[in-house]
Amino acid sequence: MQKAVSIMYTVFSFQSPTDGYCLVYLIDESQKAYCLLPYRQQTTGNFPVKANRRYVLFSPKDADRSIASLVDEYILNSQESKEYNQLYIIFSPNPLTKTIDRSTTVLMPRETTVENFRKWLARCRRNDLDMAVEVKNIVIKGQP
């Protein structure tokens, strides 16, 4: 019997007290690291943010009109009863650039291995004492 798929739309907001740069990665149970932000069509390797400005991420309708066409909208789903993932929200007032990754398909974000992601993150944290990393544990629940 095939299990139903649970769908979770991924939208959240971000605001910083200072100008800086933001990156968002998702780590899934298969030990892949997906770069969710910067968006796939951005060529800068980071997502610049202005101080005291609220950003709604992953929602083209809520995004600033200047970048709405670049925004990726993600749907997280699972065919398992539960799937455990982690979101890494990374911010620094200093310029930072995402790790080297690769595109897979038009519908999927760029990816790398968790090992490469963790090495990159450790190196960045060692070189940038102002970097903040927040890890959010998320559970995607399938239908019984």
Side-chain angles (χ1 to χ4, degrees):
M1 176 167 62
Q2 184 176 354
K3 294 185 178 189
V5 175
S6 175
I7 297 176
M8 181 176 91
Y9 290 91
T10 308
V11 176
F12 67 92
S13 65
F14 179 86
Q15 188 171 353
S16 168
T18 62
D19 289 354
Y21 303 87
C22 183
L23 302 172
V24 177
Y25 281 86
L26 178 123
I27 310 296
D28 71 6
E29 287 185 339
S30 69
Q31 297 301 291
K32 289 184 183 172
Y34 296 96
C35 180
L36 304 182
L37 190 73
Y39 297 120
R40 288 177 296 180
Q41 293 182 39
Q42 287 183 281
T43 58
T44 59
N46 58 37
F47 187 80
V49 295
K50 296 291 181 192
N52 302 312
R53 181 173 169 200
R54 182 175 173 260
Y55 293 86
V56 178
L57 304 175
F58 315 119
S59 174
K61 69 180 176 89
D62 296 314
D64 186 273
R65 287 192 293 177
S66 65
I67 64 162
S69 65
L70 300 175
V71 174
D72 296 318
E73 192 170 26
Y74 293 111
I75 300 171
L76 303 179
N77 58 48
S78 176
Q79 294 184 355
E80 302 299 324
S81 60
K82 286 184 182 176
E83 184 176 325
Y84 299 92
N85 293 291
Q86 292 181 312
L87 278 177
Y88 281 72
I89 299 101
I90 304 165
F91 174 82
S92 179
N94 307 309
L96 73 143
T97 303
K98 67 179 183 65
T99 186
I100 295 174
D101 52 27
R102 65 181 179 86
S103 293
T104 54
T105 69
V106 172
L107 300 176
M108 295 292 290
R110 293 178 309 269
E111 71 177 56
T112 189
T113 65
V114 168
E115 181 182 350
N116 287 342
F117 170 75
R118 290 193 173 131
K119 285 180 184 177
W120 166 84
L121 184 59
R123 192 171 50 253
C124 287
R125 292 181 98 169
R126 195 172 43 250
N127 294 328
D128 184 353
L129 299 179
D130 297 322
M131 177 182 281
V133 178
E134 187 168 340
V135 180
K136 300 278 189 184
N137 294 312
I138 59 173
V139 178
I140 304 167
K141 294 181 183 177
Q143 301 297 320

